[in-house]
Amino acid sequence: MNNQVKIKVPGREKYELFSLETGAYELKIIAQQMVEWIEITFPHLKDVEDNYKLVGNEATSKAEFLFKDDYGKDFNVEHSICKLLGFQCDKKFQDVGRYIADEIIDISNVSQLIFNCSLTESNYINGKEVPFLYNCGIDVPVGYRLARELTDISYKNLTTSQISNIRVWVVDQDGAPVNLRNDDLVVTLSLKLKQRVTRVSIGP
């Protein structure tokens, strides 16, 4: 697990341990969880959401903490969240300021999402023959939500004329299954039917 960090709030010198429940999170959700924990644990603090921020820099793909008050962060704990956010494990900072991670965010190492379907003909992708419908390149910084809506639809031939069930599965660029960790995934399929006309010769 890599889900813990110590947080200091204004008016207190002691750093308190924050633990994020195990799961798959966007950077935005991690930030929200931290803010909510501070607000619940220290209800007397005002404007927490404005004074304590964890954001992602889209240009560098690095995490940044923005403090407008005497907040602090200590990553030197067991099961530290440091590597996930790109900070050194011995990093500790406090007071008003902007604190930038040393490395890029390491929430996910998936660069492609490949949608396969049990009814379609196979084609080659990344040197492998697979029945893929769509190859979705990930072009957003790690930790951000990805959404796609296709406007130019290309159809593939089916491998059967009778459909009793359809199986769709998602793999990464290496063909490994993608663990969605209970995240919602909606896939809409469009089926285009063609009527075949057979020529019949009628003799005299």
Side-chain angles (χ1 to χ4, degrees):
M1 295 185 297
N2 50 358
N3 62 334
Q4 297 191 144
V5 67
K6 285 185 176 180
I7 298 176
K8 178 197 174 301
V9 300
R12 295 175 63 94
E13 292 302 320
K14 182 181 178 181
Y15 282 73
E16 302 290 343
L17 184 65
F18 164 81
S19 295
L20 186 70
E21 291 187 9
T22 303
Y25 298 92
E26 300 177 38
L27 186 65
K28 181 180 179 181
I29 301 301
I30 296 176
Q32 289 176 349
Q33 292 287 316
M34 289 183 176
V35 169
E36 289 176 4
W37 178 84
I38 294 173
E39 291 176 334
I40 293 173
T41 309
F42 307 98
H44 65 282
L45 292 176
K46 305 297 182 182
D47 302 321
V48 176
E49 191 171 359
D50 292 330
N51 296 330
Y52 177 99
K53 292 185 178 182
L54 168 61
V55 299
N57 186 318
E58 295 188 15
T60 63
S61 290
K62 291 184 178 181
E64 300 181 4
F65 282 97
L66 306 177
F67 296 161
K68 295 182 180 179
D69 206 337
D70 188 26
Y71 285 94
K73 187 74 62 176
D74 183 1
F75 289 100
N76 190 15
V77 297
E78 188 176 7
H79 305 306
S80 176
I81 201 173
C82 60
K83 291 184 178 179
L84 187 145
L85 297 181
F87 288 88
Q88 298 295 327
C89 290
D90 59 352
K91 183 74 71 175
K92 182 177 181 180
F93 45 82
Q94 178 183 335
D95 209 349
V96 176
R98 176 188 181 197
Y99 304 95
I100 304 173
D102 306 282
E103 307 291 338
I104 64 173
I105 303 167
D106 190 21
I107 291 179
S108 173
N109 60 358
V110 177
S111 61
Q112 290 177 308
L113 294 177
I114 301 172
F115 292 79
N116 297 319
C117 180
S118 59
L119 300 181
T120 60
E121 291 183 344
S122 296
N123 293 94
Y124 282 93
I125 183 170
N126 295 336
K128 299 178 181 179
E129 188 177 10
V130 291
F132 80 96
L133 283 174
Y134 177 59
N135 177 20
C136 176
I138 299 178
D139 57 0
V140 297
V142 288
Y144 285 78
R145 187 175 300 277
L146 175 68
R148 287 288 188 276
E149 181 178 356
L150 302 183
T151 56
D152 185 15
I153 300 176
S154 59
Y155 291 89
K156 297 186 66 177
N157 293 329
L158 302 182
T159 57
T160 180
S161 59
Q162 297 180 342
I163 300 175
S164 58
N165 63 79
I166 301 176
R167 176 175 173 249
V168 175
W169 67 101
V170 185
V171 298
D172 65 13
Q173 66 278 0
D174 298 317
V178 175
N179 188 348
L180 300 176
R181 301 298 291 269
N182 295 322
D183 281 349
D184 292 331
L185 173 65
V186 178
V187 178
T188 302
L189 300 179
S190 175
L191 185 63
K192 187 176 182 180
L193 300 179
K194 286 186 177 181
Q195 183 177 5
R196 293 186 176 181
V197 179
T198 304
R199 293 183 178 180
V200 178
S201 299
I202 302 177

